């Protein structure tokens, strides 16, 4: 990396600002490590030299489409370039092989139609305006020309548009790979049609996003020797299991809980449900509804999507029976039992929820109570049963709920994969990884005020792509 430019009187610089992250200005005085700056917001500030960065006076006002062309590739320079392009309605920008998208929070159908796919077909990366289709085309061409499987990483903060970007990538890859299915739905269609089901059980409202994926998803598109799509598989991991039992205000638990509580009356009665506010796993937050979303309609949409991906009515009933059982589990409270350091259900209400959960799980109520209130330790010589105090029993209850929900989610994914169909003899694959990841940054800011999504192409393996993203962002 080139040495930092020397800051002198008259230099144009960027300096940190508490309101807009960075503000530009002109250096008035330099006194050792202290620099006096006249900012464009008409303020005069004194800053430490370590927090001042040079500004490129010759940078075009509309920004550059590839940030490797910037004179200074530092934080304010990058953010200003993205902001300038965003104001020109240019939401995509390259940094070498990395595509950065700034979510416009509105539909732009003209950017993703068939005409646009034809436009990017066979064009080298960088010859046309930055676009997800360019990344997908580059991935497909490298796979065909070099005979190497590819991977595309899509990452960014909650609400950045990762899932939508993943859909665009898969649409283009299906466009290039042709539709291998001669009758019925294509593989690509089946993958996209699985989204409503995965979103119902794996998405939730977060602070920044009403429909945030709380799991990682790796979609494998499999190709034959002619470069045609021959199969696909969805791999999921890192489901946020803690959300099942613990929700922060103003977030929500997984959508499926609210959908089931808003199901037709006969379904609600069959599972002995009611208002979401009556369930411990849901009422830890004051948010129960989403603006513009009718949970009762979404329940029917989810059931319809389950039909599409090959989940039978009996299997659907079993799925929602487990979801209801998890809600009832959360309402079981414990008090001290008759024996020392023991526990038992608190009152009639807790007994009701325990028996209902056992009925829905299709197990013995006494066995379920013992599994929550006792711990079995198996040694080489004997089996020891130890009673749990109320706090430990509550932890045992939550652990069971998280494990059951996680296994249910895995079962649904496996069922979807069986419906899509995989090609064990595929020649190549292109993997598209849709993963959350920016929530833990101490500083997560942007001059545009909009979240970013990063799309990275890597031909030699996913680990290198992850390292590439971390190196750029840290």
């Amino acid at each position: 990396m080139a040495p930092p430019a020397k800051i002198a009187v008259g230099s144009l610089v960027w300096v940190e600002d508490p309101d807009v992250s960075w503000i530009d200005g002109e250096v008035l005085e330099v006194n050792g490590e202290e620099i006096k700056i006249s900012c464009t917001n008409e303020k005069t500030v004194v800053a430490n030299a370590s927090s001042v960065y040079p500004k490129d006076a010759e940078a075009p006002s509309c920004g550059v489409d590839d940030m490797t062309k910037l004179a200074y590739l530092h934080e304010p320079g990058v953010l200003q370039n993205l902001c300038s392009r965003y104001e020109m309605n240019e939401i995509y920008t390259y940094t070498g092989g990395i595509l950065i998208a700034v979510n416009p929070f509105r539909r732009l159908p003209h950017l993703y139609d068939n005409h646009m796919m034809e436009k990017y077909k066979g064009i080298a990366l960088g010859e046309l305006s930055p676009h997800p289709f360019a990344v997908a085309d580059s991935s497909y061409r490298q796979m065909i020309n070099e005979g190497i499987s590819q991977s595309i990483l899509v990452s960014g903060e909650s609400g950045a548009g990762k899932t939508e970007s993943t859909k665009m990538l898969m649409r283009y890859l299906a466009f290039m790979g042709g539709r291998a299915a001669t009758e019925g739905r294509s593989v690509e269609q089946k993958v996209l049609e699985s989204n409503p089901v995965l979103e119902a059980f794996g998405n939730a409202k977060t602070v920044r996003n009403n429909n945030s994926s709380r799991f990682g998803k790796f979609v494998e598109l499999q190709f034959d020797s002619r470069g045609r799509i021959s199969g696909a598989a969805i791999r999921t991991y890192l489901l946020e299991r803690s959300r099942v039992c613990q929700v922060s205000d103003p977030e929500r638990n997984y959508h499926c809980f609210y959908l089931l509580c808003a199901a037709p009356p006969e379904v609600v009665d069959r599972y002995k449900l009611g208002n979401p506010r009556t369930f411990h796993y849901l009422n830890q937050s004051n948010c129960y509804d989403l603006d513009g979303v009718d949970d009762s309609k979404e329940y029917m949409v989810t059931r319809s999507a389950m039909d599409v991906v090959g989940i039978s009515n009996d299997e659907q009933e079993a799925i929602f029976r487990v979801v209801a059982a998890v809600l009832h589990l959360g309402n079981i409270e414990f008090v001290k039992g008759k024996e020392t350091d023991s526990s038992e259900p608190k009152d009639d209400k807790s007994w009701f929820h325990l028996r209902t959960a056992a009925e829905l799980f299709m197990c013995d109520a006494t066995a379920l109570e013992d599994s929550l209130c006792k711990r079995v330790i198996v040694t080489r010589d004997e089996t020891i049963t130890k009673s749990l105090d109320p706090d430990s029993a509550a932890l045992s209850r939550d652990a069971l709920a998280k494990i059951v929900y996680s296994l249910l989610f895995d079962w649904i994914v496996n069922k979807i994969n069986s419906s899509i169909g995989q090609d064990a003899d595929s020649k190549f694959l292109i993997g598209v990884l849709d993963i959350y990841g920016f929530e833990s940054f101490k500083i997560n800011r942007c001059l545009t005020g909009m979240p970013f999504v990063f799309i990275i192409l890597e031909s030699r393996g996913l680990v290198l792509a992850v390292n590439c993203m971390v190196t750029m962002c840290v």
Side-chain angles (χ1 to χ4, degrees), residues 385-428:
T385 301
K386 180 181 183 298
S387 296
L388 300 177
D389 60 47
D391 290 339
S392 298
L395 292 175
S396 180
R397 172 203 66 196
D398 291 346
L400 177 61
K402 288 185 284 188
I403 291 172
V404 166
Y405 191 85
S406 179
L407 292 173
L408 173 66
F409 186 75
D410 291 341
W411 185 92
I412 292 172
V413 172
N414 290 334
K415 188 68 180 179
I416 290 172
N417 281 331
S418 298
S419 172
I420 293 173
Q422 301 182 48
D423 180 12
D425 299 320
S426 63
K427 185 70 174 178
F428 312 110

Side-chain angles (χ1 to χ4, degrees), residues 306-323:
M306 288 176 155
D307 291 333
V308 169
V309 298
I311 300 177
S312 68
N313 283 331
D314 288 343
E315 290 169 334
Q316 291 178 36
E317 291 297 326
I319 288 170
F320 284 109
R321 192 170 64 239
V322 172
V323 172

Side-chain angles (χ1 to χ4, degrees), residues 180-398:
T182 56
E183 59 182 27
R185 294 179 301 277
S186 68
V187 169
E188 177 258 356
Q189 284 176 314
K190 290 180 180 179
V191 172
L192 293 180
E193 286 167 349
S194 70
N195 280 327
V197 180
L198 292 177
E199 289 178 0
F201 293 88
N203 287 24
K205 179 195 182 306
T206 61
V207 173
R208 300 185 182 184
N209 185 359
N210 282 354
N211 189 33
S212 177
S213 299
R214 308 318 301 159
F215 64 99
K217 179 171 66 177
F218 184 64
V219 181
E220 293 180 2
L221 292 180
Q222 299 159 347
F223 298 82
D224 60 22
S225 58
R226 295 181 298 164
R228 294 177 62 86
I229 293 177
S230 57
I234 299 174
R235 320 290 184 193
T236 61
Y237 51 92
L238 297 178
L239 178 71
E240 190 181 44
R241 296 196 302 178
S242 61
R243 182 173 293 268
V244 175
C245 304
Q246 186 174 358
V247 186
S248 301
D249 199 32
E251 299 188 350
R252 289 207 322 175
N253 212 316
Y254 290 106
H255 295 324
C256 62
F257 293 118
Y258 305 90
L259 304 188
L260 187 55
C261 289
E266 63 273 15
V267 176
V268 173
D269 292 341
R270 183 162 65 249
Y271 298 138
K272 300 178 183 178
L273 298 175
N275 194 298
R277 291 171 174 80
T278 62
F279 292 100
H280 173 63
Y281 286 162
L282 306 182
N283 63 20
Q284 298 170 48
S285 166
N286 291 317
C287 179
Y288 300 97
D289 303 308
L290 299 179
D291 292 339
V293 176
D294 185 334
D295 285 330
S296 61
K297 290 182 179 179
E298 290 301 312
Y299 170 80
M300 302 308 298
V301 169
T302 301
R303 292 295 295 256
S304 177
M306 288 176 155
D307 291 333
V308 169
V309 298
I311 300 177
S312 68
N313 283 331
D314 288 343
E315 290 169 334
Q316 291 178 36
E317 291 297 326
I319 288 170
F320 284 109
R321 192 170 64 239
V322 172
V323 172
V326 169
L327 286 179
H328 285 290
L329 264 184
N331 277 16
I332 304 173
E333 298 180 80
F334 301 94
V335 293
K336 289 184 179 180
K338 298 176 182 177
E339 300 178 7
T340 305
D341 292 332
S342 66
S343 60
E344 61 184 20
K346 179 180 179 181
D347 48 27
D348 290 343
K349 179 182 175 182
S350 293
W351 277 109
F352 165 78
H353 289 293
L354 187 146
R355 294 191 185 98
T356 303
E359 178 184 335
L360 294 170
F361 280 141
M362 303 178 71
C363 68
D364 181 72
T366 302
L368 179 58
E369 179 194 358
D370 288 344
S371 70
L372 300 178
C373 299
K374 297 178 182 179
R375 178 181 300 159
V376 177
I377 303 172
V378 179
T379 67
R380 186 170 60 178
D381 300 322
E382 61 180 331
T383 299
I384 303 172
T385 301
K386 180 181 183 298
S387 296
L388 300 177
D389 60 47
D391 290 339
S392 298
L395 292 175
S396 180
R397 172 203 66 196
D398 291 346

Side-chain angles (χ1 to χ4, degrees), residues 44-116:
T44 300
V45 300
V46 177
N48 188 279
S50 61
S51 62
V52 176
Y53 293 88
K55 178 184 177 181
D56 182 9
E58 299 179 359
S61 59
C62 59
V64 296
D65 61 359
D66 188 337
M67 291 195 290
T68 59
K69 301 174 183 177
L70 292 176
Y72 305 112
L73 197 59
H74 47 50
E75 181 180 322
V78 167
L79 295 179
Q80 176 59 37
N81 187 73
L82 293 174
C83 182
S84 298
R85 288 180 59 77
Y86 186 81
E87 291 174 348
M88 299 288 292
N89 293 320
E90 296 288 348
I91 63 173
Y92 295 114
T93 306
Y94 287 130
T95 300
I98 301 172
L99 176 67
I100 300 177
V102 184
N103 194 339
F105 290 103
R106 58 190 175 96
R107 297 290 178 183
L108 300 171
H110 65 284
L111 285 182
Y112 312 107
D113 56 19
N114 289 338
H115 170 74
M116 193 65 72

